[in-house]
């Protein structure tokens, strides 16, 4: 089955063409003739990972109750074993190369596992009934929620790693280095490991030998007005207090014993030898003990077969640590990858060149730009995309992880973003094809999950909660009670998923996208009156392949002509030739006789063309 564009709507097409010709122009390319100002002019390695982020808590949860602040028995939870061989085969068929299993490590929760020897967490420092996956309680353990047999939970995760590898995909998990849960205490650490804080001098606010920062002489004050678990949650421990003396500094650098509800009050900041209150003075000689502890944690998971780490909030941890630890880990596991959650464009070079990251988030550049385009915000035009590749990520285009959704961001189909799941097409095509960089989708995105409903702690904000037990309705329709066959999806939902499958296969199958050059065609349209403000066109190419990619962000159909500049015409030897086009998204084919560099195009609202010629 092939994606054919919007259901019940007209297809993108070329105008004034001769249909059905099989004659194509010869590939006599001279790429040196291309104007370098319109190209990336940087190496184009094949970095086209296709990552599927999946919160384990959501993926296999078949329960559709979705009660406000629902307990695990009421709202259900996914398990490691829900990623069956069938599920993984279907994800591989979607085009996925890497599975990012989110929330794997044990974190603080309001669910009681004391019967299994796991300490109960104080609800006054837990966000949501399930708890935040980023408030780690034990770096050496996995979430008991995800186990069918809790005492056997680690083995169940190891089996998931093995199944994922058998499905020819790699495994990514989170590494959360900046902060831990206030209740942190490892009961599963190896015998030779000293726990975090075990050797700290708590009489001083800072010491390079401490794992935490302290507020000597002060007791922690839980934020006033916080109602953990909602009104229905009753517990003797729900008393507005948490016994922490001396108080530790909160995860988002709050040096106060009274963090607010808007702070990361459920977490405590880790100390990498930076004296934050003394102008961030570095104290790295000798290497702080926390560095060794965190390296050993990474090596522990790498030894279990984990292929890479998505590293949380990397800019809140000194780049010198990253430089040291990445090289330490790669000495033993050279192929392991490090992906950094980063938001400061001015620090990209630092975290690549010094920090040794393989990839960084492209959130504040391409993601933010595409969101304004999709929403037709007044300032939005395709100039923003050009600013990203020309300036913001110059030199690192192939190393930026690109996405339209993740657990932190609003769902594309929510009213806060695209509204209509089908408006994703041009934004997703640009995300996936602008460079040779990795691309990521978030579980449920491919079937139009809108993130509706108030689950509890996070309210209704267009996101799928990471704090509470919850089902993901659109994903559950695809899961179809564990059949993983899309049996409950509408025809439009199935077409949307087919679009994603088609696109993700194109980006891996076409060398011009996964390892080719880029040429921006917009400068050649400067005097082109037919070119709308929100249509973006560019070329991807190799010596033997060339693709014209046209993206219409307008919410109305557009009829336009795309002009190829003289350097492109000469480099690809196109003038006067019969040029054959094939749209890789729809398989529609056409030809133009005596080509002179003008390509008439009719393209529906919110659609794209990927024309191989």
């Amino acid at each position: 089955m092939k994606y054919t564009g919007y259901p019940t709507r007209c297809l993108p097409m070329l105008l004034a063409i001769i249909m059905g010709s099989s004659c194509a122009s010869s590939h006599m390319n001279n790429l040196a003739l291309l104007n370098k100002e319109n190209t990336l002019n940087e190496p184009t390695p094949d970095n086209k990972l296709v990552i599927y982020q999946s919160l384990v808590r959501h993926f296999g949860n078949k329960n559709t109750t979705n009660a406000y602040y629902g307990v695990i028995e009421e709202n259900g939870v996914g398990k490691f074993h829900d990623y069956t061989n069938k599920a993984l085969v279907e994800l591989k068929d979607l085009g996925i190369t890497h599975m990012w299993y989110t929330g794997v490590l044990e974190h603080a929760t309001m669910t009681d596992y004391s019967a299994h020897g796991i300490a109960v967490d104080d609800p006054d420092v837990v966000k949501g009934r399930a708890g935040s996956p980023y408030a780690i309680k034990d770096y050496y353990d996995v979430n008991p929620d995800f186990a069918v047999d809790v005492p056997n939970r680690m083995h169940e995760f190891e089996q998931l790693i093995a199944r994922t590898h058998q499905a020819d995909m790699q495994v990514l998990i989170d590494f959360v280095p900046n902060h831990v849960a206030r209740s942190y205490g490892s009961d599963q650490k190896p015998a030779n490991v000293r726990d975090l804080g075990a050797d700290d001098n708590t009489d001083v606010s800072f010491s390079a030998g401490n794992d935490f920062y302290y507020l000597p002489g002060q007791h922690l004050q839980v934020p006033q007005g916080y109602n953990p678990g909602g009104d229905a949650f009753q517990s003797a421990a729900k008393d507005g207090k948490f016994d922490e003396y001396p108080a530790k500094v909160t995860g988002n650098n709050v040096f106060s014993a009274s963090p607010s509800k808007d702070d990361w009050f459920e977490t405590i900041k880790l100390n990498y030898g930076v004296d934050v209150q003394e102008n961030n003075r570095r104290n790295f000689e000798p290497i702080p003990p926390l560095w060794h502890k965190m390296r050993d944690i990474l090596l522990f998971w790498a030894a279990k077969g984990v292929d890479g780490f998505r590293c949380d909030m990397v800019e809140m941890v000194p780049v010198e640590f990253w430089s040291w630890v990445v090289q330490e880990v790669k000495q033993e596991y050279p192929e392991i990858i490090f992906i950094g959650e980063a938001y400061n464009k001015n620090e990209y070079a630092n975290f690549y060149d010094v920090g040794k990251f393989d990839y960084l988030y492209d959130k504040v550049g391409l993601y933010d730009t595409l969101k304004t385009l999709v929403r037709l915000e007044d300032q939005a035009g395709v100039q923003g995309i050009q600013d990203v590749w020309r300036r913001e990520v110059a030199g690192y285009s192939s190393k930026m992880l690109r996405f339209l959704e993740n657990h932190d961001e609003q769902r594309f189909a929510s009213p806060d973003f695209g509204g209509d799941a089908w408006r994703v097409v041009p934004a997703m095509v640009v995300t996936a094809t602008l460079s040779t960089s990795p691309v990521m989708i978030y579980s449920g995105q491919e079937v139009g999950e809108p993130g509706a409903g108030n689950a509890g702690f996070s309210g209704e904000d267009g996101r799928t909660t990471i704090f509470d037990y919850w089902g993901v309705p659109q994903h559950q329709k695809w899961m179809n009670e564990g059949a993983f066959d899309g049996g409950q999806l509408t025809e439009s939902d199935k077409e949307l998923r087919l679009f994603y499958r088609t696109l993700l296969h194109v980006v891996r199958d076409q060398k011009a996208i996964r390892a080719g050059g880029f040429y921006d065609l917009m400068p050649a349209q400067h005097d082109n009156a037919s070119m709308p403000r929100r249509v973006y066109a560019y070329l991807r190419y190799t010596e033997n392949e060339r693709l014209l990619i046209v993206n219409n962000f307008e919410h109305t159909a557009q009829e336009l002509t795309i002009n190829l500049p003289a350097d492109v015409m000469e480099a690809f030897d196109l003038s006067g030739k019969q040029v054959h086009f094939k749209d890789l998204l729809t398989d529609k084919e056409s030809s133009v006789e005596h080509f002179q560099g003008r390509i008439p195009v009719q393209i529906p609202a919110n659609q794209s063309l990927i024309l191989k010629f």
Side-chain angles (χ1 to χ4, degrees), residues 174-189:
D174 287 288
F175 175 55
V176 186
N178 174 69
H179 51 269
V180 294
R182 291 204 178 267
S183 58
Y184 186 91
S186 177
D187 54 15
Q188 296 296 315
K189 65 185 185 300

Side-chain angles (χ1 to χ4, degrees), residues 143-395:
N143 190 341
D145 274 353
F146 302 159
V148 174
D149 177 26
V150 173
N152 199 37
R153 57 192 180 275
M154 184 63 78
H155 181 61
E156 291 185 22
F157 178 59
E158 291 167 347
Q159 289 178 316
L160 174 57
I161 294 174
R163 288 197 304 277
T164 306
H165 288 160
Q166 288 165 7
D168 193 27
M169 294 183 291
Q170 295 195 330
V171 172
L172 308 176
I173 65 170
D174 287 288
F175 175 55
V176 186
N178 174 69
H179 51 269
V180 294
R182 291 204 178 267
S183 58
Y184 186 91
S186 177
D187 54 15
Q188 296 296 315
K189 65 185 185 300
N192 62 335
V193 170
R194 296 290 292 168
D195 212 357
L196 296 181
D199 303 312
D200 281 8
N201 176 3
T202 62
D203 293 329
V204 297
S205 59
F206 171 80
S207 166
N210 282 354
D211 295 330
F212 299 120
Y213 298 90
Y214 294 91
L215 301 166
Q218 300 182 61
H219 291 269
L220 177 72
Q221 303 296 314
V222 172
Q224 293 186 351
Y226 179 51
N227 183 16
D231 294 338
F233 178 64
Q234 301 298 316
S235 168
K238 183 179 173 178
D239 57 5
K241 301 175 183 177
F242 180 70
D243 185 15
E244 184 179 285
Y245 182 84
K248 300 182 182 76
V249 170
T250 294
N252 60 325
N253 292 357
V254 175
F255 282 74
S256 166
S258 304
S260 75
K261 286 193 294 184
D262 294 328
D263 289 318
W264 304 348
F265 67 84
E266 81 282 19
T267 69
I268 46 182
K269 172 82 173 178
L270 288 169
N271 171 17
Y272 286 83
V274 178
D275 193 345
V276 177
Q277 294 182 296
E278 291 293 332
N279 295 316
N280 292 314
R281 187 176 69 233
R282 263 61 172 159
N283 299 269
F284 298 154
E285 295 183 5
I287 292 175
L290 183 66
W291 289 30
H292 292 281
K293 292 177 181 180
M294 300 310 262
R295 176 200 60 190
D296 292 345
I297 289 163
L298 290 165
L299 290 172
F300 174 84
W301 292 105
K304 290 189 178 296
V306 169
D307 302 293
F309 299 95
R310 177 268 186 191
C311 302
D312 191 67
M313 300 302 295
V314 299
E315 293 155 334
M316 298 185 76
V317 173
V319 70
E320 294 89 345
F321 164 74
W322 292 117
S323 180
W324 177 82
V325 81
V326 170
Q327 293 179 87
E328 286 277 304
V329 174
K330 289 197 174 193
Q331 283 182 8
E332 294 193 39
Y333 300 94
E335 301 304 315
I336 207 158
I337 63 174
F338 284 83
I339 300 171
E341 178 192 14
Y343 299 103
N344 185 348
K345 292 176 282 190
N346 296 324
E347 288 295 313
Y348 289 166
N350 198 22
F351 279 86
Y352 281 129
D353 300 339
V354 178
K356 306 301 181 184
F357 274 91
D358 296 293
Y359 308 105
L360 296 175
Y361 271 30
D362 192 0
K363 192 276 176 187
V364 295
L366 189 63
Y367 170 92
D368 285 351
T369 296
L370 293 176
K371 190 170 186 179
T372 63
L373 271 169
V374 168
R375 291 169 56 84
L376 300 188
E377 295 179 5
D378 288 344
Q379 77 276 20
V382 299
Q383 177 65 43
I385 302 175
Q386 295 174 297
D387 289 342
V388 170
W389 74 260
R390 285 186 186 277
R391 283 176 282 278
E392 295 178 7
V393 301

Side-chain angles (χ1 to χ4, degrees), residues 342-475:
Y343 299 103
N344 185 348
K345 292 176 282 190
N346 296 324
E347 288 295 313
Y348 289 166
N350 198 22
F351 279 86
Y352 281 129
D353 300 339
V354 178
K356 306 301 181 184
F357 274 91
D358 296 293
Y359 308 105
L360 296 175
Y361 271 30
D362 192 0
K363 192 276 176 187
V364 295
L366 189 63
Y367 170 92
D368 285 351
T369 296
L370 293 176
K371 190 170 186 179
T372 63
L373 271 169
V374 168
R375 291 169 56 84
L376 300 188
E377 295 179 5
D378 288 344
Q379 77 276 20
V382 299
Q383 177 65 43
I385 302 175
Q386 295 174 297
D387 289 342
V388 170
W389 74 260
R390 285 186 186 277
R391 283 176 282 278
E392 295 178 7
V393 301
Y396 303 102
S397 291
S398 67
K399 296 165 72 71
M400 303 303 297
L401 174 61
R402 286 170 168 156
F403 53 83
L404 291 175
E405 289 190 16
N406 65 41
H407 67 278
D408 284 320
E409 309 303 335
Q410 292 163 322
R411 290 287 194 173
F412 184 93
S414 74
D416 306 278
F417 196 161
D420 179 348
W422 271 104
R423 287 180 179 166
V424 80
V425 173
M428 192 63 214
V429 168
V430 171
T431 297
T433 69
L434 192 65
S435 73
T436 66
S437 64
V439 60
M440 180 173 74
I441 65 172
Y442 184 31
S443 180
Q445 174 184 342
E446 73 276 22
V447 288
E449 170 57 35
N454 186 348
F457 175 79
S458 56
E460 185 160 9
D461 59 1
R463 297 171 175 84
T464 299
T465 179
I466 65 169
F467 302 103
D468 285 283
Y469 298 108
W470 200 249
V472 183
Q474 284 295 106
H475 171 73

